[in-house]
Amino acid sequence: MSVDDKRQYHTGLERSQIGNAEFAILPGDPGRVPELAKALDKNARAIHMHREYNSWMVIVDSVPVLVCSTGIGGPSTAIAVEELAQLGVKNFIRVGTTGSIQKDIEFGDIVISLAAVRLDGASTHYAPIEYPAVASLWLTNALVNAAEKLKIPFHVGITASSDTFWPGQERYDNYSGYVLRRFQGSVEEWRKLNVTNFEMEAATLFTMCSAFGLSAACLCGVIAKRTESEEVNLEAYAVAFSRLAKIIRGAIINHPDYP
């Protein structure tokens, strides 16, 4: 498939729609794309919507940036990364929400992932399980530097990426009320191993980009403190979202010369 004249099958995007954009911001939820895009650029414009892939273009300090949702989980994220890479995107920043499992991580704080525990299946289609799921150093540092300059509370740590929202993250409020034995006690184990939070896409993104020679980073806003309860704090979402958008914008504006 030529990237010059062919529309990508799943995202529905063509090279002409994204121009020479080398940055892609990847929220999971298609519904969050317009809000995020407009927070980055008041002149943001929608370019295509197909399946779970809602795509908008923004300009951040003269840098063209694609904002494209991935849907939930590794498989749909893998498709987005594959197709966007074919269109020339080299730098991928996942942005989303998360539940923290460390007591010192508060509602609205930002977690910047240094690496991810591979509790997914999609990443194993790109590299064996012994292969680490690690973020790109320069891109992660750009996010950290932006958060520091903005004085936004953040934590850098290892994220657990699960293919499932319920059993893989040891939630017992699922339909059956049962969690496989391999996951029983897993939250406490990850906590003791200094894992900071759970989400569902970073492991796939990190593994793919490392294997492809591309750059990837991930930052998530905390909307649930699982050290206290399973409840989602909707007020924290608004705070976290504003902080996430500011960090992303700051990282792109002040990014160093990248590979």
Side-chain angles (χ1 to χ4, degrees), residues 30-240:
R32 291 176 180 166
V33 171
E35 184 182 8
L36 177 58
K38 292 174 183 177
L40 295 172
D41 175 8
K42 65 180 181 180
N43 296 314
R45 58 188 176 87
I47 57 173
H48 199 74
M49 175 76 182
H50 189 233
R51 303 189 184 209
E52 60 264 63
Y53 305 107
N54 188 7
S55 301
W56 286 52
M57 282 298 300
V58 303
I59 303 296
V60 179
D61 194 37
S62 78
V63 178
V65 178
L66 172 66
V67 182
C68 178
S69 56
T70 62
I72 298 174
S76 59
T77 297
I79 288 172
V81 174
E82 285 271 12
E83 295 194 359
L84 298 185
Q86 291 188 48
L87 295 178
V89 175
K90 300 183 184 304
N91 311 297
F92 298 83
I93 302 175
R94 159 157 163 68
V95 57
T97 54
T98 190
S100 65
I101 61 173
Q102 298 293 343
K103 292 181 178 180
D104 64 330
I105 302 179
E106 302 294 338
F107 286 117
D109 285 4
I110 306 303
V111 176
I112 299 174
S113 302
L114 189 65
V117 180
R118 293 172 64 187
L119 299 178
D120 70 319
S123 71
T124 64
H125 289 214
Y126 291 89
I129 198 64
E130 295 85 358
Y131 191 90
V134 293
S136 301
L137 180 61
W138 78 268
L139 192 51
T140 302
N141 281 342
L143 295 174
V144 169
N145 291 338
E148 288 178 337
K149 289 181 180 179
L150 292 164
K151 300 187 185 308
I152 290 174
F154 72 96
H155 309 262
V156 178
I158 298 173
T159 291
S161 290
S162 169
D163 261 350
T164 55
F165 184 79
W166 280 275
Q169 300 185 41
E170 200 189 355
R171 286 189 168 98
Y172 294 92
D173 59 340
N174 56 40
Y175 178 72
S176 69
Y178 178 71
V179 169
L180 291 178
R181 281 178 290 179
R182 64 177 287 219
F183 294 122
Q184 292 176 22
S186 60
V187 171
E188 181 61 22
E189 183 171 58
W190 296 129
R191 182 179 296 119
K192 289 182 177 178
L193 292 172
N194 292 313
V195 170
T196 52
N197 64 305
F198 273 97
E199 55 81 74
M200 300 179 68
E201 293 82 24
T204 300
L205 176 67
F206 291 171
T207 302
M208 289 182 70
C209 287
S210 291
F212 289 171
L214 303 171
S215 298
C218 173
L219 71 167
C220 292
V222 175
I223 62 170
K225 286 188 64 176
R226 297 191 61 195
T227 53
E228 297 179 358
S229 76
E230 294 292 340
E231 295 298 320
V232 171
N233 186 324
L234 296 179
E235 293 181 0
Y237 171 76
V239 173

